[in-house]
Amino acid sequence: MSPLDDRSGERHGGLDRPHQGAAPLLELRDIRKEYALRQGLLARLTGRAERVAAVDDVSLAIQPGEVFGLVGESGCGKSTLSQIAVGLLAPSSGQVLYRGADIAALRGEARQAYRRGVQMVFQDTHSSLNPRKRIRRALAEALAASGQPRAAIPAKLLALMDQVGLDAVMLDRLPHELSGGQRQRVGIARALAMDPALLVADEPVSSLDVSLQGQIVNLLRELNARLGLTIVLVSHDLAVVARICQRIAVMQAGQIVEEGPPARVLFAPEHPYTRTLIAAVPRGLAGRRSTREVAPAEA
Ligand SMILES: Nc1ncnc2c1ncn2[C@@H]1O[C@H](COP(=O)(O)OP(=O)(O)OP(=O)(O)O)[C@@H](O)[C@H]1O
Ligand SMILES: [Mg+2]
């Protein structure tokens, strides 16, 4: 059995939760997002703006407990789709369902439960963390926002740091006093403070050195295994998603062109664009298939 076989399908992931037959945690139905192109004189005179579809009729179902990979080149619509999934951006048309309910119709408690339950980890920790807030304060505010009683916060802070593999002394640092990898761990801790069911990580490692990339990807894998956290991992790098995802969707020009377990998508790609992405992986994926041991730097 190749190492990748082990990563595919229902056997892997979370707390051995059943994937088949379970209701999706998050479902995207016929999602479309159009942006107005910069308006020219003619458009302004006629009042008609030209529009471009950044996401063009995408449907996806994320099952509880899985690690789902979304991969595609720059500009294909990954971030737009991620932001729609977490509710930061409204789709032009289509529906997002959280635990079976259309998020557009959620009010009150149910809306809060979705807001907390689906968290995003951003690529750019420089702009997503307030440079003047110490880590302790950033995380404590997130815990308070998630409804934690004040008295529970100090212990929760330590637990969060432990969960993301950071020493508690880092709590008293400012974001710029941390390395890129440490900042990304803080970004993940802040998302975990909300006690989410789903983490959408949009290019969480693309600003990091290759050696650090493996560590952060492994942290996500651990969180999935230990907490049963469902994860959508977004990346332009097929090799990154292939390492931990049980299902991969390949996106091109706003559309999903291929979807399946990595063993199938990587070694029997059906779409020409997937083959292009595979060819673009620097060290190749074919070599990984026969390599049973993952190199220490990546492990
Ligand atoms: N606010 C916006 N206004 C107009 N066009 C936008 C806006 N945001 C994104 N776009 C366009 O939508 C398309 C998809 O962008 P998006 O950021 O979702 O892609 P991406 O796959 O995340 O790319 P990357 O890998 O570079 O992060 C691009 O053509 C982009 O230029
Ligand atoms: Mg993006």
Side-chain angles (χ1 to χ4, degrees), residues 35-36 52 54 72-81 123 202-203 236:
Y35 288 116
V52 60
E73 69 193 350
S74 181
C76 73
K78 304 181 297 294
S79 293
T80 303
L81 193 61
Q123 168 183 354
D202 185 8
E203 302 271 10
H236 63 276

Side-chain angles (χ1 to χ4, degrees), residues 123-131 175-176 178 180 183:
Q123 168 183 354
D124 183 2
T125 50
H126 273 296
S127 60
S128 63
L129 292 173
N130 184 331
H176 79 265
L178 302 179
R183 268 201 305 277

Side-chain angles (χ1 to χ4, degrees), residues 8-177:
S8 66
E10 315 76 47
R11 280 168 292 122
H12 184 100
L15 306 167
D16 273 340
R17 294 174 182 206
H19 292 159
Q20 246 99 56
L25 184 58
L26 191 85
E27 200 180 340
L28 305 176
R29 281 194 195 156
D30 308 322
I31 295 288
R32 194 175 164 82
K33 179 68 185 180
E34 291 178 352
Y35 288 116
L37 286 178
R38 199 211 286 249
Q39 295 188 18
L41 182 62
L42 185 67
R44 264 182 275 151
L45 288 175
T46 59
R48 267 184 315 207
E50 233 191 301
R51 305 184 75 77
V52 60
V55 174
D56 188 2
D57 212 11
V58 166
S59 295
L60 281 178
I62 310 300
Q63 304 299 337
E66 77 172 335
V67 185
F68 187 92
L70 182 64
V71 68
E73 69 193 350
S74 181
C76 73
K78 304 181 297 294
S79 293
T80 303
L81 193 61
S82 303
Q83 287 172 42
I84 289 170
V86 303
L88 286 174
L89 201 60
S92 307
S93 62
Q95 290 173 296
V96 178
L97 291 91
Y98 180 60
R99 300 189 193 274
D102 188 335
I103 64 161
L106 294 177
R107 300 285 178 269
E109 264 303 303
R111 179 147 192 89
Q112 287 301 318
Y114 161 68
R115 281 284 186 196
R116 284 203 286 267
V118 180
Q119 289 295 316
M120 184 134 174
V121 172
F122 298 90
Q123 168 183 354
D124 183 2
T125 50
H126 273 296
S127 60
S128 63
L129 292 173
N130 184 331
R132 279 176 298 217
K133 265 187 207 168
R134 294 193 189 278
I135 307 308
R136 182 185 304 280
R137 195 168 140 214
L139 295 182
E141 285 177 0
L143 286 166
S146 81
Q148 288 290 337
R150 266 181 100 98
I153 288 180
K156 287 273 176 193
L157 283 172
L158 296 178
L160 276 179
M161 294 297 272
D162 186 53
Q163 260 174 353
V164 299
L166 283 178
D167 196 295
V169 299
M170 305 286 176
L171 282 170
D172 294 308
R173 303 258 168 97
L174 287 165
H176 79 265
E177 296 170 326

Side-chain angles (χ1 to χ4, degrees), residues 249-252 255-259 270-271 273-274:
V250 179
M251 196 167 177
Q252 182 192 28
Q255 297 184 320
I256 304 292
V257 296
E258 181 149 4
E259 193 189 323
E270 281 164 7
H271 197 276
Y273 178 66
T274 310

